[in-house]
Amino acid sequence: QKEVEQNSGPLSVPEGAIASLNCTYSDRGSQSFFWYRQYSGKSPELIMSIYSNGDKEDGRFTAQLNKASQYVSLLIRDSQPSDSATYLCAVRRETSGSRLTFGEGTQLTVNP
Amino acid sequence: EAQVTQNPRYLITVTGKKLTVTCSQNMNHEYMSWYRQDPGLGLRQIYYSMNVEVTDKGDVPEGYKVSRKEKRNFPLILESPSPNQTSLYFCASSFSGTGRLYSNQPQHFGDGTRLSIL
């Protein structure tokens, strides 16, 4: 089992729709969760972080964390073509200090 | 401006010719890390450093060396590059420490270095 798994893509949604990206993790000791956006050939860019169970909203983005189910998701409301990118889920485990474990990413395409 | 700077951005070289990719950060971060990214494999950690003179292997360290003589710099060294090291490389940094304050710190990435080993 991979430490961090993301829903396989690519994911395609029409402009204005809600895009839902999912991530599960295997280590129950994980304490910090991050979503990065990466445009093709560019570096990952942090868009959301979440540490407590529940929802965290920032503009059109909502991160959801459920530690009991070991599940973290990212919702993008009113999706725009500029949201088309690969989204990386990253998890920091309690025992790993500052190290992050990344999922393989989900490629999102928003169609005009 | 807070940033992580990698050089070079692009490099084409030949098998066996030693090369160094530099990484420098101006945020006084303790933690620095090198990743490689390949299609279908995501970001894989090569080496990381918790502080000056403290380095450790990541998931794919074979064929690479690092050093951390100064807090701001963390160069990646390929002593004898081979074609399977052709990849996109990223350096990242963050604050480090114990407790919630530090565990919540995100990593900041450099712009990447695209290496082609012929």
Side-chain angles (χ1 to χ4, degrees), chain A residues 3 31-32 34 36 38 41-46 49 51-52 67 88 92 96-100 102-105, chain B residues 31 35 37 40 42-43 45 48 50 58-59 90 94-97 100 102-107 109-111 114:
Chain A
E3 292 182 48
Q31 53 184 187
S32 305
F34 306 90
Y36 286 84
Q38 186 177 25
K42 303 296 185 182
S43 62
E45 170 194 11
L46 180 72
S49 58
Y51 322 111
S52 304
K67 289 188 176 181
L88 302 170
R92 177 173 285 135
S96 67
S98 299
R99 294 185 68 187
L100 291 181
F102 285 85
E104 292 183 6
Chain B
Y31 180 87
Y35 298 90
Q37 188 172 38
L43 277 168
Q45 189 174 48
Y48 65 98
M50 298 298 289
D59 300 316
F90 289 103
S94 72
F95 287 110
S96 180
R100 177 55 64 91
Y102 293 102
S103 67
N104 294 347
Q105 295 296 321
Q107 288 188 9
F109 284 81
D111 287 338
R114 188 168 291 280

Side-chain angles (χ1 to χ4, degrees), chain A residues 76-90:
Chain A
I76 306 175
R77 290 183 302 281
D78 189 23
S79 296
Q80 301 297 308
S82 59
D83 295 325
S84 298
T86 296
Y87 290 80
L88 302 170
C89 172

Side-chain angles (χ1 to χ4, degrees), chain A residues 60-77:
Chain A
R60 296 186 295 110
F61 298 98
T62 299
Q64 300 174 317
L65 175 60
N66 183 327
K67 289 188 176 181
S69 300
Q70 295 174 242
Y71 175 94
V72 57
S73 66
L74 179 71
L75 299 177
I76 306 175
R77 290 183 302 281

Side-chain angles (χ1 to χ4, degrees), chain B residues 6-78:
Chain B
Q6 294 179 228
N7 279 297
R9 293 290 315 281
Y10 304 91
L11 179 63
I12 301 174
T13 188
V14 296
T15 299
K17 186 177 181 181
K18 180 180 178 180
L19 67 92
T20 299
V21 185
T22 63
C23 175
S24 180
Q25 50 91 8
N26 62 0
M27 294 168 280
N28 202 34
H29 286 164
E30 296 86 7
Y31 180 87
M32 297 186 75
S33 177
W34 276 103
Y35 298 90
R36 61 177 289 174
Q37 188 172 38
D38 303 287
L41 297 177
L43 277 168
R44 294 182 293 168
Q45 189 174 48
I46 303 170
Y47 269 95
Y48 65 98
S49 170
M50 298 298 289
N51 214 323
V52 176
E53 301 291 2
V54 181
T55 63
D56 209 344
K57 296 177 181 179
D59 300 316
V60 287
E62 295 78 19
Y64 304 94
K65 286 176 57 178
V66 293
S67 68
R68 188 88 183 273
K69 293 183 170 56
E70 305 166 281
K71 197 172 187 179
R72 63 183 293 126
N73 296 322
F74 189 45
L76 178 70
I77 302 158
L78 285 71

